Amino acid sequence: MEAQRILRLEKGHFIVGQDTDGLTRAFSAGLDWAIKLDKDDFVGKPELAWQSPRASGPRLVGLQPVDPSLVPEEASLIMEGGNIVGRITSSRMSPTLHRSICLAQVEPGWPGPAPK
């Protein structure tokens, strides 16, 4: 099971309920690749059509900690200048990449400029 979790994290695949929650919106989380609004009617289509132009809220992104040996705890907050800008949803050490990798929900526009 652990190998499966690492492989899905390396691919950037999310787990509903772990990397998303009841407030996660598909378009703002960057999951629009999985939505086809041009299909005939389906459950949830009106809500998704309403959300589409309003893509605000946390985005689901892949992260690599600056220290490749550090594996942040899942549900850890991401802080910048004393403000909460996101939270780690999944994290593991990748034996393929020889470093830690994470998925996180972060505020729109974060991360800011790359560190120097």
Side-chain angles (χ1 to χ4, degrees), residues 11 16 22-23 26 35 43 49 53 55 58 65 70 74 80-81 85 89 97-98 103 107 111 114:
K11 292 178 79 171
V16 173
L23 301 175
I35 302 166
V43 174
L70 174 71
E74 293 173 352
E80 186 174 272
V85 294
T89 59
L97 302 174
H98 308 292
L103 279 179
E107 292 300 317

Side-chain angles (χ1 to χ4, degrees), residues 30-94:
L31 307 176
D32 47 318
W33 58 268
I35 302 166
K36 302 291 183 237
L37 291 175
D38 57 351
K39 288 183 179 179
D40 290 336
D41 197 28
F42 57 88
V43 174
K45 184 175 181 177
E47 173 64 17
L48 290 168
W50 177 84
Q51 286 180 18
S52 178
R54 297 168 181 81
S56 63
R59 300 202 49 85
L60 189 61
V61 299
L63 296 178
Q64 293 183 345
V66 175
D67 179 352
S69 65
L70 174 71
V71 180
E73 292 210 22
E74 293 173 352
S76 296
L77 297 178
I78 301 170
M79 306 291 293
E80 186 174 272
N83 296 315
I84 299 171
V85 294
R87 66 181 171 85
I88 304 293
T89 59
S90 294
S91 61
R92 293 287 190 276
M93 180 59 71
S94 167

